Each structure stands twice: as structure tokens, then as C-alpha cells.
Amino acid sequence: MKRLSAATPKSDWSLLGTSVSGSKSCLGETRTVLTMPKDDSWNVVYCYSRAQAILDGVLVDVTETAKAIGFKLHTVVTDHLFHGYVEVPAGLEGEGQSAAGRLHDLIVLALFAARRAVNTDRVTFKVDFLMAPGRKETVEVVAHIGPGDHGEPVLTIMLPEDD
């Protein structure tokens, strides 16, 4: 197997490739199957955990609100969605808007969409946000259930471009 880096020991890369004896491609050649090792013998180049993203403000933890509405998973909203739509824009103070109310509406709609979903790890739904007096904006939102830092299921609510 060809080494990809002089800094990487050959023994580490040898764990990734195994020749499959007797297995032929359509051209009649033996194939090489690449697999990840089952242990920690490989090097992680970079890791950015969900916990670190919450500390950095890239994700906003809304778990308590989500649990009060009916979700049982650790739940976050991306900063782009939170600061762009959940936080109340200037000029709407007298319009009965609050960040708590907007977040509540967002999570309730996520719950309705999740209840309709079958055999999928993500759903999309639309939310209307009041952005200025008399001006609403309809936003497509994605709710995704995926693995957390320790493999546990977690929920992320985001804009499509945040994925």
C-alpha cells in the first residue's frame, strides 16, 4: 500500500487496507477494501465536539425549552437561526414579540414535523417570523437527529445552509 505521508507510520496505514482474496472486479483484478480500524490506533486530525460548539456559541443549547414542549433529547439551535430569527429584531418591542415566544413556536413546529416523519433522521418545515412591523418572513428550517459527542442521539435545529 502506498504511504500518504512521511509522518505517518506504515503500521497505521496498513490497518486501513486489506486485500480480499478471490474477489474480482468486473475487469478480473483483485480488489482492495478500505476499512477503518476498530480501535484507537488511527490518528484524529481535528475534532470539534458539540460541547465545544456550545461553549463557542456556534450552537445554542435550548434543551430545557425543548423538554418542556415534549422532546426528550439534548437540543440545540444553530447561532445563525437563533440570532437571525429567534432573537427579536429591533423595532418589534411593542408588537408582543419575545425570544422565548419565538423559540417556543420554533420548537413546537419542529415537534409537529418530527411526529409526521417516518424512517428519516431529518425533517424540514417552515416557520413564519415577524421581522418588522407588518413584515413576516417564511423560513425553511431543518431538524436533524444525529449522534452526540458520545454517540447518544441529539437534536439540532438549523437553517438549511447551516448543515
Side-chain angles (χ1 to χ4, degrees):
M1 180 179 282
K2 181 178 165 185
R3 286 179 67 188
L4 298 179
S5 168
T8 305
K10 185 176 180 184
S11 61
D12 286 348
W13 286 106
S14 67
L15 294 171
L16 296 177
T18 58
S19 180
V20 177
S21 61
S23 179
K24 305 279 185 185
S25 73
C26 60
L27 300 174
E29 300 171 355
T30 301
R31 295 182 302 167
T32 299
V33 177
L34 297 178
T35 58
M36 292 299 294
K38 300 282 188 220
D39 56 19
D40 291 331
S41 64
W42 48 281
N43 296 325
V44 174
V45 176
Y46 182 74
C47 178
Y48 189 63
S49 70
R50 184 177 176 93
Q52 185 62 48
I54 292 169
L55 286 174
D56 291 347
V58 175
L59 298 175
V60 180
D61 189 344
V62 296
T63 301
E64 293 308 312
T65 302
K67 282 185 178 180
I69 292 168
F71 280 108
K72 297 178 182 177
L73 304 176
H74 183 268
T75 304
V76 297
V77 174
T78 59
D79 64 335
H80 187 205
L81 175 57
F82 190 85
H83 298 301
Y85 296 98
V86 174
E87 287 184 337
V88 181
L92 291 178
E93 296 80 13
E95 300 289 325
Q97 296 288 302
S98 71
R102 291 163 76 104
L103 178 62
H104 179 272
D105 294 348
L106 173 69
I107 294 176
V108 165
L109 291 173
L111 183 63
F112 292 161
R115 286 183 176 162
R116 287 190 315 269
V118 177
N119 296 326
T120 185
D121 63 350
R122 71 181 54 233
V123 294
T124 59
F125 57 98
K126 296 187 188 271
V127 183
D128 288 334
F129 289 100
L130 185 63
M131 300 305 289
R135 185 177 69 81
K136 291 183 181 177
E137 188 173 332
T138 302
V139 180
E140 184 175 45
V141 178
V142 177
H144 175 256
I145 293 178
D149 291 344
H150 305 288
E152 75 283 8
V154 295
L155 177 64
T156 304
I157 302 173
M158 64 191 127
L159 297 172
E161 59 267 26
D162 295 338
D163 195 6

